[in-house]
Amino acid sequence: MPQLSADAIEQLRAQFDRQLEVGLHHGAQLAVYVDGDLVVDFAGGSTGPDGDETTPETRHVLFSCTKPFAGVGLHQLVEQGELDYDDRVVEHWPEFADDGTQKASITVRQVLSHTAGIPFGEFDEQYESWGDWDAVVAAMEDIEPVFEPGTTPAYHAINYGWLVGELIRRCSGQSVEEYVAENVFEPLGMDNTGIGLRDDEPNDVATLAGYEAFERCHDIDEGLEDPAAYAGAYNQEAMRRTVMPAANGIGTARDMARFYACLANGGSLDGTQLLTEATVDEATTTHAETESDGTLSRPARYGLGVWTGGLAADMFGAASKERMFGHAGLGSSFGWADPELNVGFALVTNGIRDESFEHAARVGQLSDAVRLLLQD
């Protein structure tokens, strides 16, 4: 099994530090597991423009890196027989759609693979209601398809979490943040990670900094609009305490790398089994693919709750392979697993960069370094 030598780790540290030196972010963390062991656990920079030192324990907003955490919770319920991937959502959530409508045909598999056809709607702009789960449920019951279900891969940036979260609640009897904490984070020892901040937790999360567009790069009209504009919203304590299973996980690179190390190892790590190997294989196989995603306007590959690699436009690095899987967080963070090398990787930062190039470039540089140094 390939390993990172002391010299390789030193070289990787130099690349990590270089990104901080040139100002790609105020603070960052990089963690890497190889064959079940934490071999890289870097932190540097500050927790904000005028913040304290970033340490490996500093918690950050993880944005859409949250999605796979919730997804694993739903996969566990499938393993338990509480639902099936090809069940229609209305079988578990009858109020979701009226009988005989196009929306009533939406399946659990389509929700997880971003092909449900309801990627966005009016509720996306109703931030004041996101903290009210009853309002969330009502909005998902009222929303109408933008695309015919099952036909068009279109990233469900926020709605993915509402849908998966309510399915978890309907099938387990627990709220999504409670279920995932009890069945994913706690068993795996992800002690500094949660879906939103709980009432008894301090608001000690690193401050996000939005950067202007990189003027020397052509605007290729991809990704979500103006990712830097999200910094102000997600620096608000109320937003951090909202339960958003698609977008406001709070955590560290160390915890995220551990999560992916578990999945890279077939769903188990240090005696804890989150999923069976068969479920991991099903979840991390490509289920939907497109040359132009209906939301992001770029090529995309989706497993069930994760992105899969092998595309020039993805963030797994120049050496990306389809067998790799993981997820990005809005212009800020990325985590992936490589089951062939048994590696779990996570980069977490507080500097929101443009998704189309800068975010992908800084993540890709470190992803490539890890995989190349492992194979030296």
Side-chain angles (χ1 to χ4, degrees):
M1 177 63 64
Q3 294 293 328
L4 285 174
S5 67
D7 287 345
I9 291 172
E10 184 177 347
Q11 188 173 351
L12 186 61
R13 178 80 210 205
Q15 293 198 26
F16 173 80
D17 288 344
R18 179 63 177 162
Q19 290 197 359
L20 287 164
E21 289 167 5
V22 299
L24 287 182
H25 21 253
H26 289 292
Q29 302 167 333
L30 175 66
V32 181
Y33 272 78
V34 179
D35 201 22
D37 294 324
L38 179 65
V39 297
V40 169
D41 193 17
F42 300 157
S46 64
T47 58
D50 300 307
D52 299 322
E53 178 186 1
T54 297
T55 72
E57 291 76 29
T58 301
R59 296 193 294 174
H60 292 74
V61 177
L62 302 177
F63 289 111
S64 288
C65 292
T66 316
K67 287 182 173 71
F69 302 155
V72 164
L74 197 59
H75 291 308
Q76 290 176 334
L77 292 167
V78 170
E79 288 190 347
Q80 295 165 25
E82 298 296 334
L83 76 168
D84 187 80
Y85 295 123
D86 293 315
D87 287 352
R88 293 181 301 133
V89 173
V90 291
E91 295 176 45
H92 306 279
W93 181 357
E95 304 86 353
F96 177 68
D98 294 330
D99 289 340
T101 62
Q102 188 182 69
K103 186 181 175 186
S105 70
I106 295 173
T107 66
V108 175
R109 188 184 303 274
Q110 290 166 353
V111 169
L112 287 167
S113 63
H114 296 270
T115 58
I118 48 176
F120 39 76
E122 294 180 1
F123 195 66
D124 289 12
E125 305 300 326
Q126 298 173 13
Y127 312 116
E128 72 283 354
S129 298
W130 288 1
D132 181 347
W133 196 260
D134 290 337
V136 165
V137 172
M140 293 303 98
E141 292 171 356
D142 290 342
I143 197 171
E144 292 298 328
V146 177
F147 305 106
E148 180 182 349
T151 65
T152 305
Y155 186 54
H156 290 47
I158 301 297
N159 290 350
Y160 169 96
W162 306 141
L163 298 170
V164 170
E166 181 62 7
L167 282 168
I168 287 176
R169 191 183 73 83
R170 298 266 175 160
C171 293
S172 72
Q174 289 181 277
S175 65
V176 59
E177 75 276 15
E178 292 172 347
Y179 181 89
V180 174
E182 184 177 315
N183 294 280
V184 180
F185 301 147
E186 292 174 12
L188 200 55
M190 297 171 64
D191 299 332
N192 288 316
T193 301
I195 298 179
L197 290 173
R198 302 283 63 78
D199 290 342
D200 61 347
E201 291 183 295
N203 180 24
D204 57 357
V205 183
T207 299
L208 294 161
Y211 291 83
E212 296 299 324
F214 188 17
E215 295 179 355
R216 284 174 288 170
C217 290
H218 176 58
D219 182 0
I220 56 176
D221 195 27
E222 291 180 352
L224 300 175
E225 292 183 6
D226 193 12
Y230 288 79
Y234 281 82
N235 282 331
Q236 299 298 314
E237 183 170 352
M239 184 71 83
R240 292 175 175 179
R241 295 196 184 278
T242 297
V243 174
M244 296 178 63
N248 84 327
I250 305 294
T252 64
R254 181 191 291 167
D255 279 0
M256 195 192 307
R258 185 169 179 81
F259 173 81
Y260 282 111
C262 178
L263 298 185
N265 196 48
S268 63
L269 185 68
D270 293 339
T272 295
Q273 183 173 12
L274 289 187
L275 297 173
T276 66
E277 188 169 355
T279 299
V280 173
D281 286 344
E282 177 73 4
T284 61
T285 297
T286 300
H287 288 259
E289 184 172 357
T290 178
E291 289 298 314
S292 182
D293 181 87
T295 301
L296 301 175
S297 303
R298 66 181 180 224
R301 281 179 174 154
Y302 296 112
L304 300 180
V306 294
W307 296 354
T308 55
L311 296 173
D314 67 32
M315 299 181 188
F316 296 92
S320 172
K321 296 181 178 180
E322 188 169 355
R323 194 65 194 93
M324 297 174 71
F325 58 89
H327 215 288
L330 178 74
S332 186
S333 303
F334 193 79
W336 54 258
D338 185 335
E340 293 179 356
L341 296 177
N342 200 4
V343 171
F345 168 103
L347 174 69
V348 170
T349 90
N350 59 357
I352 303 179
R353 290 276 175 181
D354 179 71
E355 294 179 89
S356 298
F357 183 79
E358 291 179 87
H359 176 34
R362 68 182 182 180
V363 174
Q365 179 191 47
L366 293 172
S367 294
D368 285 340
V370 168
R371 299 183 77 247
L372 289 171
L373 290 168
L374 274 168
Q375 296 175 57
D376 278 351

